[in-house]
Amino acid sequence: MTQPATHDTLLRLAALIDSRKGGDPDVSYVSRLFHKGDDAVLKKIGEEATEVALAAKDVRHGREPKALVYEMADLWFHCLVALSHFDLSPADVLAELERREGLSGIEEKALRKSRDREQNGD
């Protein structure tokens, strides 16, 4: 069975991002983020998430939906940078989503809280 094109795109982009580790921060934006460290990477995710929320509100008030797609692409990109920074991949996220498939959000949250209590000895 072939993977959807979306999966291939994520994998290609993740591989490109991975290839920027240790690269020249003067010629690559991603290399510059890696060079600055996780605080810079995480700050960008916060900024992009805010821009997604603002774009969604704008769409609600009549702005073109493409603006939301554009901002969401920025957020996803920076999330891929964060995954790479922490030596993770889109496959790790997809596996977690597959694990959750079929669980209600309420049920999944209750299971997570139960696991957290067990790990913290509560």
Side-chain angles (χ1 to χ4, degrees), residues 15-16 21 28 52 56 58 65 72 79 96 102 108 110 116 122:
L16 180 63
K21 286 183 175 179
S28 166
V52 165
D58 289 345
M72 191 67 71
C79 287
E96 177 60 16
E108 196 281 328
D116 289 347
D122 292 346

Side-chain angles (χ1 to χ4, degrees), residues 46-102:
E47 291 170 5
E48 298 302 339
T50 299
E51 290 175 12
V52 165
L54 294 173
K57 287 184 169 212
D58 289 345
V59 169
R60 181 176 65 193
H61 294 289
R63 188 170 179 200
E64 281 292 317
K66 284 184 177 183
L68 177 57
V69 171
Y70 180 88
E71 296 300 343
M72 191 67 71
D74 284 351
L75 176 60
W76 284 20
F77 175 83
H78 287 89
C79 287
L80 290 171
V81 172
L83 286 171
S84 177
H85 182 75
F86 292 103
D87 296 321
L88 297 166
S89 74
D92 296 308
V93 177
L94 292 171
E96 177 60 16
L97 289 171
E98 287 171 5
R99 183 193 68 77
R100 294 180 188 185
E101 191 173 6

